[in-house]
Amino acid sequence: MTDPPQTPIRFTTQQAFASRLTIATLTGRPIRISQIRPSSPTNTGLAPHEISLLRLLEAVTNGSTITISYTGTVLDYRPGLITGSASGSGASGGSIRHEVAAGCARGISYFLIPLCLLAPFSKAPMNVIFTGPGVITSATPAGDISADSVRTAILPLYAKFGISNNIELRILRRSNLGSRGRGGAGEIQLIFGHQVRLPKTLHLLNPGRVKRIRGVAYCTGVPASNNARMIEAARGILNPMTADTYVFSDVSSAPYLPGKDKGTPASKVRLGIGFGLSLVAETSTGCLYSADVVSPPTGGVPPEDLGQQCAYQLLDSVGQGGAISFVAAPTVLTLMAMSSEDVGRLQLGKEVLSTEQIIGLGRDMKAFGLSGWGFRETATGQADDVVVSVVGKGVGNVGRKIS
């Protein structure tokens, strides 16, 4: 006799859409999201980037069921087994090619961060290539970080959970925001070949002191002097903090896309023109803080202003305290909840912990049946930090367990 189907967990609005889908896939719990932009006069229901994320989840899982209402305002999602790039409907030749449509206004990190959370619990290694006119590798005004920050500030944190082998993020073609804030025609490849049964329990209570700063200044379709001007402005602020500061300069041409008349070479359109800067500060204990800025699609902002803005943003991230930055906190807290049934501890800045995104993440985890968080003051008496205790659920990698 088969077990009755689980009752879906109900959520409303499109807030934390990617996070809720990710936790649902990790825990195997079905969800129902309603009231998705019901009052929007022109864009009712799911947005293009949310549809693309659902397609990606369908490609890396086996047995998932996705049902969308006629108006697009209600979504029913029943997750399947995370199979990664194993041979099946989504993979071909050991990799999955995911095309992002031109209407996408979110950066590639909107897809990469959830995918990296699923990859350690996959049945097979994850090898996904993101392509299409909607791939934006830079940061975006919507709050998405750049692919460089994912590679240098998010992926190294997986090593603290015992996940460090065969992990690589390749930026095959850079791109910035398009002319109207949409699409950039970049190309990214994520290789995640380290799968585990359960992540290690994390104890990260000593932020340490900043010992080095690294970064990437990138420009696409504009003169390389923009990179040099951003780097000089940023170093002017950061050098007094630490002398070990190095920012790499990456210059690339803008990608061309066929125009309306595909038979005419002159009708090709250049997309993804712009420049940006990604900075990461590393402490003596291996903690990371990041900052991202990018030129607006309309232009008009000199590179010196962007360099100074990114440097001040990095200093603000370090000043918020804690052992991890705001952009990495959801990833670390989710992995702590999925680890073995032991108490993990993480020192967070109160400014980071009190943000709407982190508070909402804690509420969503409680709705999925994961353990609540405990709080206490730090042993060193730092008034701006708090120690967060998370008890792992021990769900782990079901695919690795039965394979």
Side-chain angles (χ1 to χ4, degrees), residues 200-221:
K200 293 181 179 179
T201 303
L202 177 68
H203 298 280
L204 191 57
L205 302 175
N206 184 13
R209 294 183 176 273
V210 175
K211 66 175 183 179
R212 68 167 66 96
I213 296 176
R214 296 292 183 265
V216 177
Y218 53 88
C219 63
T220 308

Side-chain angles (χ1 to χ4, degrees), residues 274-287:
F275 50 90
L277 179 62
S278 169
L279 294 175
V280 175
E282 183 181 354
T283 69
S284 55
T285 57
C287 299

Side-chain angles (χ1 to χ4, degrees), residues 24-42:
T25 308
L26 290 173
T27 58
R29 297 292 301 275
I31 62 173
R32 180 183 178 89
I33 304 177
S34 58
Q35 300 181 24
I36 303 174
R37 302 183 185 87
S39 58
S40 176
T42 56

Side-chain angles (χ1 to χ4, degrees), residues 113 117 153-154 157-158 160-161 200 202 204 323-339 345-348 361 365 373 390:
I113 293 177
L117 280 172
I154 302 293
L157 295 176
Y158 282 80
K160 299 183 180 299
F161 295 90
K200 293 181 179 179
L202 177 68
L204 191 57
I324 56 174
S325 62
F326 167 72
V327 297
T331 296
V332 174
L333 290 170
T334 303
L335 287 174
M336 291 175 68
M338 296 298 297
S339 62
R345 296 176 178 87
L346 173 67
Q347 184 167 323
L348 273 181
L361 177 64
M365 286 185 176
W373 301 344
V390 183

Side-chain angles (χ1 to χ4, degrees), residues 156-176:
L157 295 176
Y158 282 80
K160 299 183 180 299
F161 295 90
I163 307 170
S164 58
N165 299 329
N166 302 325
I167 302 176
E168 187 177 0
L169 180 62
R170 302 173 181 172
I171 304 176
L172 305 179
R173 185 167 61 224
R174 289 191 177 273
S175 63
N176 287 53

Side-chain angles (χ1 to χ4, degrees), residues 39-54:
S39 58
S40 176
T42 56
N43 299 313
T44 305
L46 293 169
H49 59 272
E50 294 165 346
I51 295 290
S52 185
L53 179 62
L54 289 172

Side-chain angles (χ1 to χ4, degrees), residues 4-239:
Q6 291 180 314
T7 303
I9 303 172
R10 297 179 179 271
F11 296 101
T12 57
T13 75
Q14 69 279 3
Q15 297 294 331
F17 184 82
S19 174
R20 288 168 176 172
L21 289 176
T22 303
I23 300 176
T25 308
L26 290 173
T27 58
R29 297 292 301 275
I31 62 173
R32 180 183 178 89
I33 304 177
S34 58
Q35 300 181 24
I36 303 174
R37 302 183 185 87
S39 58
S40 176
T42 56
N43 299 313
T44 305
L46 293 169
H49 59 272
E50 294 165 346
I51 295 290
S52 185
L53 179 62
L54 289 172
R55 289 176 41 241
L56 178 62
L57 292 177
E58 186 181 21
V60 299
T61 59
N62 183 21
S64 296
T65 303
I66 301 172
T67 306
I68 303 174
S69 66
Y70 179 76
T71 58
T73 58
V74 180
L75 167 68
D76 286 292
Y77 175 64
R78 290 187 175 272
L81 181 68
I82 307 172
T83 55
S85 299
S87 300
S89 58
S92 177
S95 65
I96 298 173
R97 295 190 67 88
H98 181 72
E99 184 170 350
V100 183
C104 181
R106 301 298 298 265
I108 194 62
S109 62
Y110 179 81
F111 307 95
L112 287 176
I113 293 177
L115 193 62
C116 290
L117 280 172
L118 299 179
F121 307 95
S122 173
K123 184 178 180 180
M126 197 84 73
N127 186 352
V128 182
I129 301 175
F130 294 89
T131 185
V135 177
I136 303 171
T137 64
S138 68
T140 64
D144 302 312
I145 62 177
S146 66
D148 296 282
S149 292
V150 175
R151 178 173 53 85
T152 57
I154 302 293
L155 291 182
L157 295 176
Y158 282 80
K160 299 183 180 299
F161 295 90
I163 307 170
S164 58
N165 299 329
N166 302 325
I167 302 176
E168 187 177 0
L169 180 62
R170 302 173 181 172
I171 304 176
L172 305 179
R173 185 167 61 224
R174 289 191 177 273
S175 63
N176 287 53
L177 285 169
S179 58
R180 287 175 292 179
R182 295 177 180 273
E187 190 169 348
I188 294 285
Q189 183 178 13
L190 173 66
I191 300 174
F192 208 116
H194 193 169
Q195 281 66 46
V196 295
R197 174 68 184 95
L198 282 172
K200 293 181 179 179
T201 303
L202 177 68
H203 298 280
L204 191 57
L205 302 175
N206 184 13
R209 294 183 176 273
V210 175
K211 66 175 183 179
R212 68 167 66 96
I213 296 176
R214 296 292 183 265
V216 177
Y218 53 88
C219 63
T220 308
V222 295
S225 59
N226 291 287
N227 283 355
R229 294 162 63 183
M230 283 190 297
I231 294 173
E232 183 178 1
R235 287 181 63 94
I237 297 172
L238 297 175
N239 276 352

